[in-house]
Amino acid sequence: MKALISVDMEGISGIVHSSETNPERYDYQRGRELMTTEANAVIAGVLDAEPTADVLVADAHGTFRNLLPEQLDRRARLVRGKPRALNMLAGLDEETDAALFVGYHVRAGEGPGVLAHTMNGEILDVRVTGRAPGEDVRVAGRSLGEIGLNAAMAGHLGVPVVLLSGDDAACAEAAALIPEAVTVPVKEALGMAAAVTLHPEEARDRLRRAAADAVSRRTEIPPLALTGPLEVEVDLASPHTIDLATLVPGVSRTAGARTVAFTASDYGTAYRLILLLAQLATIRPA
């Protein structure tokens, strides 16, 4: 059995502020330690259920160099650094039996949600529509943030997302997309930088039990499959990013002042183009 654990930082128990998630801020080291211990709890839960499992852990926050390798459970392998294929899901493939999302956050514009954003904060919203013969059908009935984008990419490879942890808003977003998945709210969001949070040890205990349960029930949880062709619209915060985005073949401005659009033959193609737009958003005018 192969499992991929994708670990973000904003949804970790105890974390409420960017000073705890930003390498240039004073409280970042503490955030890294909290992130690593929650990853270890989920690794332990997976191995409680499947002692011989092959467990990969993808560092999925910011630089992708946040988890402390020397403190990570030695039974797992760590995927770290960027750029890399599949971004937050690096290590995922068709042979993976289950994906687990740890420390995730709600999408941009939703909330209250702790440190809510989509990707690097320059992407405001992503809307995916599947085109069927003679009609337009809204896939999943909603816009997608990192939870939905990554769950759908896992689904494209036939992999179910069996567990998600984060604040209550992130868990609600996941439950709406994948009702069968196990969700673990480790804090209740009060705003962008405030929450009522579990003690880290309590959060880790809950995560370990939930991970074991989720992996045991993996065959009962369907992958989130978005079939193509897919029409994708992306709202971007910066006019400069929109100018760059329209240089990509197939990407065009829409009537919306901050929106670009493209059509993808399948979700894997859509996902990679969205990742490219996120990278373009990091480029500043000369």
Side-chain angles (χ1 to χ4, degrees), residues 5-25:
I5 304 172
S6 173
V7 190
D8 205 350
M9 204 169 189
E10 289 86 356
I12 297 296
S13 174
I15 288 180
V16 297
H17 194 274
S18 60
S19 67
E20 298 160 318
T21 64
N22 186 332
E24 298 179 358
R25 301 294 295 276

Side-chain angles (χ1 to χ4, degrees), residues 18-37:
S18 60
S19 67
E20 298 160 318
T21 64
N22 186 332
E24 298 179 358
R25 301 294 295 276
Y26 72 97
D27 224 5
Y28 171 66
Q29 184 63 26
R30 175 173 168 275
R32 299 180 75 189
E33 293 170 355
L34 291 171
M35 181 186 184
T36 304
T37 56

Side-chain angles (χ1 to χ4, degrees), residues 35 126 135 161 172 183 211 249 253 261 276:
M35 181 186 184
V126 180
E135 64 178 348
V161 176
T183 57
R253 296 176 189 265
L276 176 59

Side-chain angles (χ1 to χ4, degrees), residues 119 123 248 251 270-281:
M119 295 190 172
I123 290 183
V248 179
V251 177
Y271 183 80
R272 288 173 172 84
L273 264 174
I274 293 167
L275 294 183
L276 176 59
L277 294 178
Q279 285 302 304
L280 293 177

Side-chain angles (χ1 to χ4, degrees), residues 178-227:
I178 319 161
E180 301 85 355
V182 177
T183 57
V184 185
V186 298
K187 53 193 172 189
E188 177 188 350
L190 300 178
M192 187 69 172
V196 179
T197 180
L198 295 178
H199 188 283
E201 290 181 3
E202 176 64 22
R204 293 195 289 270
D205 288 346
R206 296 187 188 189
L207 283 167
R208 182 170 183 167
R209 292 193 298 268
D213 176 47
V215 167
S216 297
R217 296 196 294 107
R218 63 186 180 275
T219 59
E220 304 169 18
I221 302 172
L224 177 62
L226 307 185
T227 56

